[in-house]
Amino acid sequence: MTYESTATLEELATRIRAAKTIVCTSHEKPDGDAMGSVLALVRALSPSHEMHAWLMGSVPPPMQSMQGGTPCHNIAGPDDIPVFEPDLVIVLDTGAWSQIKPMAEWLRDRHDRVIGVDHHASGDDVASVRYVDASAASCTMLVLELLDALQIEPSIEVADALFAGLATDTGWFRQANADAAAFAAAARLLAIGVEKDRLYRVIEETARPSRLALHARALASVEWIRDGRVAIMRLAQKDFDETDGRRSDVTGLVNAPLVVDGVEMAALLIEEKDGGVKASLRSKPPAEPGGPFMDVRAITGQLGGGGHVHASGAKLSCTLAEGAAKIDHAIDSVEL
Ligand SMILES: [Mn+2]
């Protein structure tokens, strides 16, 4: 199926105006953009609607600290879904059944009442009507547009959440998707009073010492291939055990080798508890506009994964060493 808009933001705004009770949700293990989108919409609509934020899966600590005084209900599995029939359900920052498993059946049963807002290039018919713009740097960019359609000016609390989503999905405005529209939205939100330094501290500087211990091990594991243009790092389960490390301790670590001159792509392979390997890939944008770059979505695509051209991932059924070999092999087809 083609994953495109089936409605305008004006039409979604009309659906929202017509509802009294609304549930906002997003993908499992919400990241900054998922969390920011849900919090922004719940906060912005609370004066006029009965709003409910439902978050699926475990919520990483930095995302919990974004919550502030906005109540959020956690849904680990179908049993956690409250007995409640909202007028409308808004699914944000995803449209893929694979990312909303704990609520999939519940959402299917209420399909007519589900609307979606997303900036991903692929997805399913989770929502009966959806607004999709894959050119948007973050879903919160689209939530801001939706609020404009609703003629709601963001409060500082709403602006905080919108900015957090935009900042985290663009690597704090360093990645290729941080375009003119992203900076324009950031400027507008800063003018409302967003304290970006405080947000950075709350979201990015909350690690435990285990994070550094795991980083040290991952950096020590770097294997340079393809004449130093590709760096592959590995972390085994024992690395996590011996450092008291958690999966959340390695967020963003995959980018570390990209600081080296001449490196075009970095990969981080993590041995899963239940066997198998989770591979995360990142690549640099072209040195000049329109120049060559490594399309990591094409690489993980060959391994059953997906993502974006500069950030992608895949789950592999193999050992760490085999995983590194598979990635090396998959690069052949996208060689610069
Ligand atoms: Mn996003």
Side-chain angles (χ1 to χ4, degrees):
M1 60 165 273
T2 51
Y3 188 66
E4 291 168 348
S5 292
T6 61
T8 64
L9 284 173
E10 304 296 335
E11 286 165 331
L12 295 194
T14 302
R15 293 287 299 266
I16 289 170
R17 282 198 200 92
K20 286 196 179 71
T21 54
I22 301 177
V23 165
C24 289
T25 190
S26 185
H27 56 79
E28 273 186 276
K29 296 182 188 169
D31 59 7
D33 191 29
M35 197 72 190
S37 298
V38 169
L39 290 175
L41 210 44
V42 164
R43 288 170 184 170
L45 297 176
S46 280
S48 50
H49 295 70
E50 181 187 319
M51 298 301 297
H52 300 263
W54 291 2
L55 304 173
M56 288 181 245
S58 58
V59 180
M63 303 304 116
Q64 289 175 26
S65 55
M66 279 172 64
Q67 260 178 249
T70 304
C72 296
H73 178 71
N74 278 79
I75 295 174
D79 293 346
D80 301 319
I81 301 174
V83 180
F84 174 63
E85 289 300 336
D87 298 332
L88 193 67
V89 182
I90 309 177
V91 178
L92 297 151
D93 197 33
T94 184
W97 289 118
S98 61
Q99 291 195 302
I100 52 172
K101 282 186 193 134
M103 283 180 66
E105 210 182 311
W106 188 90
L107 288 167
R108 268 201 184 91
D109 290 344
R110 289 156 185 80
H111 190 253
D112 289 352
R113 281 182 269 159
V114 179
I115 65 174
V117 177
D118 191 14
H119 72 130
H120 289 89
S122 58
D124 307 308
D125 270 323
V126 168
S128 59
V129 290
R130 62 178 174 260
Y131 183 79
V132 179
D133 180 357
S135 75
S138 69
C139 186
T140 59
M141 291 271 295
L142 304 179
V143 173
L144 179 57
E145 287 180 38
L146 177 59
L147 294 180
D148 287 340
L150 285 159
Q151 294 177 299
I152 296 173
E153 191 52 34
S155 64
I156 176 66
E157 291 79 15
V158 172
D160 262 348
L162 293 171
F163 189 93
L166 180 54
T168 53
D169 256 23
T170 57
W172 293 85
F173 306 99
R174 283 183 295 112
Q175 291 165 12
N177 61 349
D179 56 9
F183 278 97
R188 183 176 162 194
L189 297 170
L190 288 171
I192 293 171
V194 167
E195 300 168 68
K196 63 175 171 53
D197 296 345
R198 183 186 58 78
L199 275 183
Y200 188 84
R201 181 182 280 246
V202 165
I203 296 170
E204 305 291 347
E205 298 180 329
T206 57
R208 305 177 307 136
S210 310
R211 181 172 169 97
L212 263 65
L214 277 170
H215 281 217
R217 288 178 183 228
L219 293 177
S221 80
V222 171
E223 175 194 358
W224 301 99
I225 60 170
R226 307 276 165 164
D227 296 326
R229 284 182 299 136
V230 173
I232 300 183
M233 299 180 287
R234 306 177 194 181
L235 285 173
Q237 195 52 53
K238 88 172 165 47
D239 292 314
F240 286 87
D241 296 341
E242 291 170 5
T243 58
D244 185 31
R246 300 173 194 157
R247 199 49 76 76
S248 57
D249 291 325
V250 297
T251 305
L253 171 57
V254 58
N255 295 297
L258 296 180
V259 299
V260 175
D261 187 24
V263 175
E264 292 296 333
M265 186 198 119
L268 174 61
L269 305 181
I270 295 177
E271 185 182 34
E272 301 267 36
K273 265 207 182 81
D274 50 358
V277 167
K278 182 179 173 253
S280 302
L281 275 64
R282 298 290 184 274
S283 66
K284 288 180 182 172
E288 303 101 30
F293 67 93
M294 293 191 91
D295 181 347
V296 293
R297 178 168 60 192
I299 295 171
T300 51
Q302 291 184 50
L303 303 170
H308 305 275
V309 292
H310 294 301
S312 69
K315 279 194 154 186
L316 312 172
S317 316
C318 61
T319 65
L320 285 171
E322 289 163 354
K326 279 186 186 195
I327 288 171
D328 187 9
H329 185 70
I331 290 171
D332 284 334
S333 59
V334 297
E335 193 59 84
L336 286 177

